[in-house]
């Protein structure tokens, strides 16, 4: 559903494959499904971040879940223009692989 909503918002968007991973820095009993999307937007960073947070909310993510350590959906911006965010995410092996998949688009 998140992919469909992102495709509706961004006309030119490319998705990596999905990778199941163990939680990092959390005491969860479930695996995470990770993917990376690459696209272009004319939105300024704050507006783009707001769009992603609204998609999370529309798909059921709540503040209470976040406080409890439950992550049902997490849409993060790793790269905006030349600026990189979430330095730890760039170092994770699974993200390196996923970034290579969309590399020609970033």
């Amino acid at each position: 559903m998140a992919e469909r909503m992102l495709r509706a918002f961004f006309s030119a968007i490319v998705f990596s494959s999905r990778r199941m991973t163990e939680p990092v820095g959390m005491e969860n009993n479930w695996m995470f499904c990770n993917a990376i999307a690459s696209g272009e937007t004319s939105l300024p960073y704050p507006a783009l971040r707001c769009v992603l947070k609204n998609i999370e909310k529309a798909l059921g993510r709540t503040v209470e879940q976040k406080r409890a350590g439950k992550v049902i959906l997490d849409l993060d911006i790793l790269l905006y223009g030349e600026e990189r965010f979430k330095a730890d995410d760039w170092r994770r092996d699974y993200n390196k692989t996923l970034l290579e998949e969309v590399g020609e688009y970033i």
Side-chain angles (χ1 to χ4, degrees):
M1 185 62 117
E3 186 174 318
R4 188 172 349 140
M5 292 178 82
L6 290 166
R7 283 190 192 283
F9 188 80
F10 299 98
S11 58
I13 190 167
V14 176
F15 292 89
S16 70
S17 62
R18 293 179 181 94
R19 295 279 190 269
M20 298 303 292
T21 61
E22 298 281 340
V24 176
M26 301 176 80
E27 295 182 20
N28 295 332
N29 294 325
W30 59 86
M31 301 284 285
F32 288 96
C33 180
N34 292 278
I36 290 183
S38 177
E40 294 184 12
T41 183
S42 60
L43 291 175
Y45 177 83
L48 175 60
R49 190 170 184 280
C50 185
V51 165
L52 298 181
K53 296 307 164 192
N54 285 338
I55 291 172
E56 289 177 350
K57 288 176 191 172
L59 295 177
R61 184 166 186 184
T62 65
V63 173
E64 293 79 20
Q65 289 171 336
K66 185 175 181 178
R67 286 186 195 134
K70 294 181 181 178
V71 182
I72 63 164
L73 178 64
D74 187 24
L75 301 174
D76 292 320
I77 301 169
L78 297 182
L79 181 68
Y80 182 85
E82 299 293 319
E83 191 169 356
R84 286 185 175 200
F85 300 90
K86 304 245 176 210
D88 289 343
D89 287 353
W90 285 87
R91 290 188 283 271
R92 294 194 174 111
D93 288 337
Y94 66 87
N95 273 341
K96 289 178 185 179
T97 300
L98 298 175
L99 282 162
E100 286 177 12
E101 291 180 16
V102 297
E104 63 191 75
Y105 301 101
I106 59 173

